[in-house]
Amino acid sequence: MPLRCGIIGLPNVGKSTLFNALSGAGADAQNYPFCTIDPNVGVVPVPDARVERLGELADADEVVPTSIEFVDIAGLVEGASEGEGLGNQFLGHIRETDALVHVVRCFDTEGVSHAYGAVDPERDVEVIRTELLLKDLETAEQAADKAERAAKSEDKDDLARRDFTARLLEHLEAGRPARSLDVNRPQEQEWLDELFLLTAKPVLYAANVAEEDLPGSQNGHANEHVETLHRLADEQDAQVVVFSAELEAQLAELPAEERGAFLADLGLDSGGLERLVRAAYELLGLITFFTANPKEARAWTIRRGTKAPAAGGVVHSDFERGFIRAETVSFEDYEHYGSEAAAREAGVLRAEGKDYTVEDGDVILFRFNV
């Protein structure tokens, strides 16, 4: 199953407009709350010039980038944890994602209504954070009660689980997200993962600003709302990506060859979507490796820390099952020498075994036998 980033936030902050620009899926985006009820899903290519270059060097017939899945989840409101505004349904959609892109409105436009009447990033972030936390508290309380009953057996594991859930509950009651809980051993991480807590998911903040407030634009200027969001994110050790959903929607309608000139006219080097997708990719702890041959140059997604056989399994299950070795060269060396054969001749192509941890940018030929 592809890794998923859920796009969350209050109603009318630009979530669906962002999703449309990301995926071209045409999700409905209107100026009223709960326009999106069922989650829209889009598979978005991860921008990476390396795979294009590999395609050129390998004279490949096809170039295939890797991708990440984005889910447009309906706007949450205060009381969502108790079912307000279809909250339970929407929170269930969040539970099925791996990470969250929290869109925060940082623009003042009279023509676009705000769920609470005025733009206030600190309040808006707190509303969403509180609703996620309240739902997690409900889940943790149930888990703690169950663990307490099981611990009456005096079984060692049951006692450890009781102590862990009690510590988790105390942590959440103090208003801290589950992702900041100190997990002392692998078994505790397993117990935490089993609960599918909403605040355990990593968060990336996306500040939606007016076009003139984009950093680097000709008329760009400091936006106090963005500064507030940066402060809040720093307190949570989170990242902020600034973008303009309105501008990205315009870019999405242009032919690819015209987008660069359009951005240049505005004094911008790039659009916000590329930065957002890359930041979401990194938020999930993902890296990219490549395969390249005359038929296809392709980028593949794995978790950071993945061993060579498991990486091979992403390409084909036989590669993992019958793994012999991974003939590996860095993208930089591949590009420098111009081909796999030249890299081999230069002695920079390595034969790596089953204990090798794949690095971002590795170009790999898997040898296997089944």
Side-chain angles (χ1 to χ4, degrees):
M1 178 181 291
L3 291 161
R4 289 182 150 198
C5 273
I7 302 175
I8 66 169
L10 293 174
N12 288 354
V13 296
K15 299 184 309 300
S16 293
T17 304
L18 169 62
F19 176 81
N20 288 343
L22 277 168
S23 66
D28 199 5
Q30 300 294 333
N31 183 23
Y32 54 88
F34 310 122
C35 173
T36 304
I37 295 178
D38 294 323
N40 298 292
V41 180
V43 179
V44 182
V46 177
D48 195 330
R50 295 175 299 180
V51 70
E52 298 288 344
R53 180 60 176 148
L54 279 174
E56 296 173 2
L57 294 171
D59 196 21
D61 294 336
E62 186 178 11
V63 174
V64 183
T66 190
S67 61
I68 189 170
E69 198 169 273
F70 283 88
V71 184
D72 177 24
I73 297 169
L76 296 171
V77 294
E78 192 171 1
S81 60
E82 299 175 354
E84 187 71 26
L86 301 179
N88 285 328
Q89 180 179 343
F90 300 161
L91 290 168
H93 296 156
I94 295 173
R95 201 178 299 280
E96 297 170 1
T97 64
D98 301 292
L100 301 176
V101 176
H102 184 169
V103 181
V104 181
R105 180 169 166 176
C106 294
F107 66 90
D108 294 293
T109 301
E110 292 184 2
V112 181
S113 62
H114 190 285
Y116 293 100
V119 177
D120 183 344
E122 186 160 11
R123 177 206 57 214
D124 295 353
V125 166
E126 183 62 20
V127 167
I128 300 296
R129 191 192 72 83
T130 299
E131 294 308 318
L132 300 184
L133 195 61
L134 287 173
K135 198 64 180 178
D136 281 354
L137 272 168
E138 179 184 315
T139 302
E141 285 169 355
Q142 294 171 356
D145 287 344
K146 183 178 178 180
E148 183 68 37
R149 292 193 301 271
K152 293 178 181 178
S153 68
E154 298 295 326
D155 177 81
K156 180 180 178 182
D157 286 342
D158 288 339
L159 290 170
R161 188 164 191 149
R162 179 201 62 188
D163 293 344
F164 170 75
T165 53
R167 183 161 57 88
L168 169 63
L169 187 58
E170 182 181 1
H171 182 86
L172 295 173
E173 287 174 339
R176 297 191 293 268
R179 61 180 169 273
S180 66
L181 179 71
D182 289 330
V183 178
N184 300 324
R185 49 200 177 99
Q187 190 175 35
E188 289 188 349
Q189 187 62 56
E190 291 178 11
W191 292 335
L192 184 63
D193 292 343
E194 287 172 5
L195 296 176
F196 295 99
L197 297 178
L198 304 177
T199 64
K201 301 178 187 300
V203 175
L204 168 69
Y205 289 103
N208 186 10
V209 302
E211 182 181 309
E212 59 268 19
D213 287 344
L214 283 170
S217 65
Q218 292 174 347
N219 300 316
H221 60 275
N223 179 318
E224 63 178 356
H225 299 316
V226 174
E227 292 175 355
T228 296
L229 187 57
H230 272 292
R231 174 178 57 78
L232 295 172
D234 287 344
E235 293 172 359
Q236 302 174 34
D237 195 25
Q239 186 179 350
V240 176
V241 173
V242 180
F243 78 106
S244 168
E246 182 181 11
L247 174 62
E248 298 301 339
Q250 296 175 47
L251 283 171
E253 295 178 357
L254 293 176
E257 60 273 14
E258 296 180 14
R259 293 172 190 168
F262 182 80
L263 288 168
D265 287 343
L266 297 173
L268 298 170
D269 295 329
S270 64
L273 292 191
E274 182 172 340
R275 289 180 288 107
L276 180 65
V277 173
R278 288 301 313 177
Y281 195 73
E282 293 167 5
L283 183 70
L284 286 165
L286 307 178
I287 63 171
T288 301
F289 75 92
F290 305 98
T291 54
N293 55 60
K295 181 179 178 181
E296 177 187 83
R298 183 162 185 153
W300 303 89
T301 296
I302 55 173
R303 295 274 191 185
R304 189 175 301 279
T306 300
K307 300 294 184 181
V314 173
V315 181
H316 195 287
S317 58
D318 285 350
F319 289 8
E320 182 172 15
R321 186 159 56 96
F323 180 85
I324 297 174
R325 64 181 181 276
E327 297 182 0
T328 306
V329 60
S330 69
F331 167 78
E332 291 77 14
D333 283 341
Y334 192 110
E335 183 179 40
H336 176 75
Y337 290 102
S339 69
E340 178 188 307
R344 188 188 302 275
E345 185 175 342
V348 295
L349 188 145
R350 314 178 307 276
E352 301 287 1
K354 63 181 181 180
D355 292 330
Y356 175 67
T357 300
V358 176
E359 299 289 336
D360 183 69
D362 280 350
V363 184
I364 304 178
L365 174 63
F366 292 98
R367 298 295 187 183
F368 68 103
N369 182 31
V370 292

